[in-house]
Amino acid sequence: MNPKLPPSNRHRPNRRQCLAGLSALGLAGLAGQGVPARAAERFPSKPIQLVLPFPPGGSFDPVFRSLAEAASRELGQPVVLMHQPGAGGVAGTANLARIAEGDGYTLAVMHNSVIRAPLVQRVNWDPIKDFTYLGGFFGLVTGVCVARDAPWKSFNELMADAKARPGAISWGNVGAISINRITAERMARGAGASFNMVSFKGGAEAFQALIGRHLDVYADPGFGPQVQGGRARLLAVFLEQRHKSYPDVPTLKELGYPVAIDSPVGLVAPKRLPPEVLQRLHEAFRKAASDPAYLKQLDAFDMLPQLTSPLEYADYARAQFERDQKMLAEIGFKLD
């Protein structure tokens, strides 16, 4: 028979119990101190969806496809482009506003029409409160284009014709509430001219109509391939200064029209995105924005690199919302 242990040794833990106890203590300490950091290290653990709120074939398609591919390499998981067109590029992004809490696995492209949407239509979401802003990545350049064989050789010729034939010349934009359309209408009205404004779902559709002479004028970003390919003629740009790739094309300001458009594009996630996931995503996409293939696509479509932080992009959205609110009031727009 084994002798009984002395009273002092009866409750002494063996080596295995000691190790288990130390392990438990270590995990408890990590649980109290390091879980957010470790959670950020584990993110992402599955593919990420990037919602593009326009149809395939437009200028955003190759630009964001190249950015997504570069970000995939940084994140170690695929970033999958998902086309969700509708409402002039608003519907797809707006769907994220209805998600109660972001987890980083669903992102969307943000642009000014989404910020403006609640001012021109009744919606049940807020562009400032219902998104987490990841950062801005590039600025759009709006150009006024006509077909190669169109009769107008300059913007002044186009405006003179629009004054002589009010409403006879069609002017296309993507979306009925885009800043490009609103600005064009204000400009034409101030000059005593009038165009027949036509909305399209995407740039590819609009350029097909322009080149096929079913549309007279198209004024939106993404004109580079059509102009450089000789299928369209660029008459003017909505910039403060002439575009470096088109030094012979005047700005509207040079021609006496006091208009210029600042239109940054970025990424958003649903609201309440964990800060460590926000930081991980921003850093990955910021690094991806220096990828040569992505920069080549920006240059091809005459878009300008314009990197901003999450805070800067959110601040821009608030300021832009206030500017649009003031602008719509000035032109007498009222929400029905």
Side-chain angles (χ1 to χ4, degrees), residues 97-165:
R98 301 179 180 94
I99 298 175
E101 186 171 328
D103 59 7
Y105 291 101
T106 304
L107 313 176
V109 173
M110 172 62 82
H111 56 97
N112 281 0
S113 290
V114 183
I115 298 171
R116 187 181 310 107
L119 298 172
V120 296
Q121 57 185 293
R122 297 198 182 280
V123 299
N124 58 358
W125 49 271
D126 187 308
I128 309 304
K129 298 178 181 178
D130 291 335
F131 295 105
T132 300
Y133 284 76
L134 302 184
F137 292 91
F138 60 87
L140 299 176
V141 177
T142 298
V144 182
C145 294
V146 297
R148 174 182 57 187
D149 54 349
W152 311 284
K153 299 298 190 294
S154 70
F155 188 79
N156 285 337
E157 286 184 17
L158 174 66
M159 292 301 289
D161 196 3
K163 292 177 184 179
R165 299 186 297 139

Side-chain angles (χ1 to χ4, degrees), residues 185-302:
E185 290 200 73
R186 292 179 68 193
M187 177 193 65
R189 186 184 306 175
S194 175
F195 292 92
N196 174 26
M197 293 292 175
V198 182
S199 297
F200 289 86
K201 294 179 181 178
E205 178 189 23
F207 269 116
Q208 286 179 0
L210 184 79
I211 295 167
R213 296 305 304 276
H214 305 296
L215 176 69
D216 295 317
V217 184
Y218 180 56
D220 242 13
F223 52 82
Q226 307 300 332
V227 173
Q228 293 164 18
R231 293 176 292 275
R233 182 185 303 134
L234 183 63
L235 301 183
V237 290
F238 286 73
L239 292 173
E240 294 288 349
Q241 298 178 343
R242 293 193 180 197
H243 197 292
K244 61 181 178 62
S245 299
Y246 309 96
D248 297 330
V249 177
T251 68
L252 289 176
K253 281 194 169 183
E254 287 181 69
L255 299 175
Y257 303 95
V259 292
I261 296 176
D262 179 28
S263 190
V265 177
L267 296 178
V268 293
K271 55 184 171 290
R272 290 194 280 274
L273 184 70
E276 63 273 10
V277 176
L278 166 60
Q279 185 65 21
R280 178 82 172 93
L281 286 168
H282 173 71
E283 288 178 357
F285 277 97
R286 180 179 56 79
K287 291 179 182 177
S290 63
D291 182 75
Y294 164 72
L295 293 173
K296 184 178 179 180
Q297 291 295 338
L298 286 187
D299 190 58
F301 289 94
D302 298 294

